[in-house]
Amino acid sequence: MSTNEHRIDSVEVLLLDVPTIRPHQLSMATMRTQNIVLVRIRCSDGITGWGEASTIGGLAYGEESPESMRANIETYMVPILVGADAASPGARMLALRSRLQGNRFALCAIETALFDAQARRLGVPLSALFGGRVRDSLPVAWTLASGDTARDVEEAERMLDLRRHNVFKLKIGKRSVRSDVAHVAAIKRTLGERASVRVDVNQAWGEADAVLGMRLLHDAGADLLEQPIAAANIEGMRRLRDMNLVPVMADEALHGPVDAFRLAERRAADVFAVKITQSGGLTGAQEVAAIARAADVALYGGTMLEGAVGTIASAQLFATFPALAWGTELFGPLLLTEEILTTPLEYRDFALRLPTGPGLGIELDDDKLAFLRRKDR
Ligand code: MUC
Ligand code: MG
């Protein structure tokens, strides 16, 4: 087949504004709506690929906003892509990366769409292009972030009853260390051995706060401490890890393989939260996982609270990791009030089941996309 038979015809960015089922309170933003960023790549052989680049709270989490991603993709990336061979995702990404700086999230969406299209073209699941699956389902944590202890406990009990989640990540860092940990301790006391309770501080503590927090969290029975201090304070992460009380996980500190190498070299984290967006795409996330494996750092499959496309793209990759000791938090679509797939993702028995179809293995509902799509132009 000549390359002309599968060239890129168009690259579109769709912004969807989807309300969350309840306010989702993090230390740096409270989300009431998720602004989903989708990329659709149409190819001349009739194949369409999808990718996602959603972030959290506009510019609150990272340096790319949904609006900046749309502008950067349309202005700078589309001209490099349109007309080029769709069947060589690696060559397309090299062309983009050699002409553009940064833009990890936007590049993730494009890379995902290229690999989705290519896997559909070959008739295989996307995971097959990354080495193939070693598992067909992934354990999924749920984040308790209503901002209210009683409501969080009620929510956790409901999730346990439904057999949907038995791992809970608590978002803390907005209040004093002692009152935050009192909240964690109250939830852990009620759930006991029925659940794993973990916390994510999203960089909100200074190092002295984190030393106190680490001791109190250990006594409260927390299993994991995620990104307690500023992403840039790698030596501080190492000192916290050396306290050896609660395993430390790097999240915001991890922007792809270069950071992974530095964190591993400094022994600054017990666990890496691998995110395809933060890693600049599926390939970058696979490289992060390889570094973790070589350095004996455990893995956790993270999320930017993406909708179905980013969630299943992450799942397709995480299913290929030989070890995934801390499971995943791929619950993004469950936080949203609207379903955008013709067949929803399957969550049961505390896990997300991977679809078996080609590419991402999902189909988007065109009517829902038209309804939710931001109509600002
Ligand atoms: C983060 O910082 O990990 C993941 C789950 C959640 O509730 O927020 C995200 C982002
Ligand atoms: Mg985090």
Side-chain angles (χ1 to χ4, degrees):
M1 204 187 257
S2 92
T3 55
N4 279 352
E5 286 172 64
H6 32 63
R7 61 176 190 277
I8 296 172
D9 275 351
S10 67
V11 181
E12 287 167 88
V13 183
L14 288 72
L15 301 188
L16 312 181
D17 298 314
V18 187
T20 56
I21 55 173
R22 56 151 168 75
H24 196 66
Q25 194 176 296
L26 295 81
S27 64
M28 71 308 196
T30 299
M31 297 167 65
R32 291 182 173 76
T33 302
Q34 176 56 308
N35 310 121
I36 291 182
V37 182
L38 292 180
V39 166
R40 171 165 54 197
I41 295 188
R42 289 194 164 109
C43 309
S44 61
D45 54 2
I47 302 244
T48 296
W50 287 94
E52 179 170 350
S54 302
T55 184
I56 291 174
L59 282 172
Y61 195 100
E63 58 285 89
E64 290 170 83
S65 71
E67 297 75 18
S68 76
M69 288 186 229
R70 179 167 68 177
N72 287 348
I73 292 171
E74 289 178 352
T75 312
Y76 298 101
M77 302 184 195
V78 172
I80 298 174
L81 291 168
V82 170
D85 178 17
S88 307
R92 299 290 69 74
M93 296 311 293
L94 181 62
L96 289 168
R97 289 208 171 91
S98 59
R99 289 162 73 178
L100 309 168
Q101 302 294 325
N103 289 277
R104 296 188 314 277
F105 282 55
L107 289 173
C108 172
I110 288 174
E111 194 197 44
T112 304
L114 289 168
F115 274 113
D116 178 29
Q118 180 63 2
R120 283 176 200 262
R121 187 170 290 121
L122 298 172
V124 297
L126 191 145
S127 52
L129 302 186
F130 287 84
R133 291 177 190 175
V134 299
R135 57 183 76 76
D136 296 317
S137 68
L138 297 164
V140 179
W142 178 254
T143 296
L144 299 172
S146 73
D148 176 76
T149 309
R151 195 169 167 190
D152 282 356
V153 167
E154 198 184 297
E155 200 171 286
E157 292 288 5
R158 199 167 60 248
M159 298 306 172
L160 285 167
D161 284 350
L162 291 170
R163 293 181 59 77
R164 220 179 68 185
H165 311 277
N166 57 6
V167 174
F168 299 102
K169 166 158 137 177
L170 278 49
K171 288 289 189 180
I172 60 172
K174 248 182 125 71
R175 295 174 287 193
S176 72
V177 174
R178 287 186 190 279
S179 62
D180 264 342
V181 179
H183 164 77
V184 177
I187 293 176
K188 179 62 189 172
R189 247 191 327 271
T190 313
L191 302 180
E193 292 310 307
R194 292 179 296 149
S196 171
V197 170
R198 308 166 179 185
V199 301
D200 189 357
V201 190
N202 284 116
Q203 313 182 69
W205 288 344
E207 198 175 329
D209 284 340
V211 169
L212 171 65
M214 172 76 101
R215 294 207 172 99
L216 298 174
L217 285 166
H218 173 262
D219 295 343
D223 291 326
L224 188 62
L225 172 56
E226 179 173 345
Q227 199 63 58
I229 57 176
N233 190 0
I234 291 180
E235 290 306 310
M237 289 278 279
R238 186 183 57 72
R239 286 187 286 271
L240 291 170
R241 180 176 179 263
D242 284 348
M243 288 175 70
N244 225 2
L245 289 174
V246 179
V248 175
M249 181 156 80
D251 180 8
E252 286 93 324
L254 192 50
H255 293 171
V258 174
D259 286 340
F261 182 74
R262 195 176 309 125
L263 287 162
E265 194 189 20
R266 299 301 304 142
R267 309 307 304 169
D270 298 285
V271 187
F272 285 170
V274 185
K275 296 182 176 177
I276 62 169
T277 42
Q278 288 271 78
S279 305
L282 295 154
T283 307
Q286 188 180 43
E287 290 165 0
V288 168
I291 290 167
R293 197 163 160 223
D296 199 16
V297 174
L299 287 179
Y300 177 70
T303 180
M304 287 302 294
L305 301 175
E306 292 106 322
V309 173
T311 295
I312 213 65
S314 303
Q316 294 274 355
L317 180 71
F318 300 162
T320 70
F321 292 170
L324 191 59
W326 292 84
T328 79
E329 55 180 15
L330 293 177
F331 67 87
L334 301 170
L335 191 64
L336 305 176
T337 53
E338 300 284 342
E339 178 57 63
I340 62 166
L341 300 183
T342 53
T343 306
L345 300 184
E346 195 185 341
Y347 290 92
R348 69 180 154 85
D349 292 332
F350 310 113
L352 167 63
R353 312 273 141 192
L354 269 101
T356 52
L360 291 170
I362 53 173
E363 294 305 328
L364 284 100
D365 178 334
D366 288 334
D367 294 339
K368 271 294 174 62
L369 295 184
F371 172 67
L372 294 168
R373 194 172 178 168
R374 191 177 295 178
K375 295 165 186 84
D376 56 345
R377 48 167 132 141

